[in-house]
Amino acid sequence: MFYVKSFFISIIVVLFVAGGAGAQKFLEQSYYDAEKMAGSAGYSPTSEGNTQSDLIETIMNVVNVILGLIGVVLTMIILWAGWQYMMAGGDQKQIEESVLRIRNAIIGLAIILSAYGITILVFSSLQKSAGG
């Protein structure tokens, strides 16, 4: 059982590391392409906009990333608890613990989705009032 856990943990770590490196490279290339396209369309690559709106947008992006990461973690917890449920082998205590974990993770996901919706609503109205 220890080897199975360590195997899955190593796979998860490798996926997160590889995914992070690939995502960083993709974002850098996307930013470069967007800047190049904006320049060819006649837009200045420097921002001369409303700094309050930019601050609100930055905070909104940070909050969205954090909520997204928490959602990913909760999804991983659901998958892990489902695996434990399937591998319980009729052990009632382990089945109850797995069901409890799944239930709590689903409640957490509902809270995170609600927080995401509220965040979008609040920050979009703040952005409109700031003139962005």
Side-chain angles (χ1 to χ4, degrees):
M1 185 68 171
F2 172 74
Y3 295 113
V4 173
K5 282 184 183 180
S6 60
F7 175 73
F8 280 113
I9 289 173
S10 359
I11 287 177
I12 290 170
V13 168
V14 167
L15 289 176
F16 274 119
V17 170
Q24 179 67 27
K25 183 67 177 164
F26 175 75
L27 288 175
E28 287 174 1
Q29 183 64 37
S30 297
Y31 182 76
Y32 173 74
D33 291 342
E35 222 175 46
K36 194 165 88 172
M37 187 181 298
S40 67
Y43 292 103
S44 171
T46 61
S47 67
E48 299 172 1
N50 188 350
T51 57
Q52 184 179 6
S53 178
D54 293 341
L55 177 65
I56 291 171
E57 187 175 328
T58 302
I59 293 172
M60 185 172 78
N61 289 337
V62 168
V63 169
N64 287 340
V65 166
I66 291 171
L67 291 176
L69 289 175
I70 293 172
V72 168
V73 168
L74 289 172
T75 304
M76 299 291 279
I77 290 172
I78 290 173
L79 292 173
W80 181 255
W83 177 264
Q84 285 181 330
Y85 181 81
M86 290 188 303
M87 296 297 149
D91 182 15
Q92 282 302 111
K93 183 179 177 190
Q94 196 171 5
I95 290 173
E96 290 172 4
E97 288 175 1
S98 299
V99 169
L100 183 66
R101 280 191 188 113
I102 291 172
R103 188 186 77 210
N104 289 340
I106 289 174
I107 290 171
L109 273 175
I111 291 170
I112 291 299
L113 287 174
S114 301
Y116 183 76
I118 291 169
T119 301
I120 295 290
L121 178 71
V122 168
F123 281 118
S124 65
S125 65
L126 281 175
Q127 207 167 21
K128 285 179 187 174
S129 69

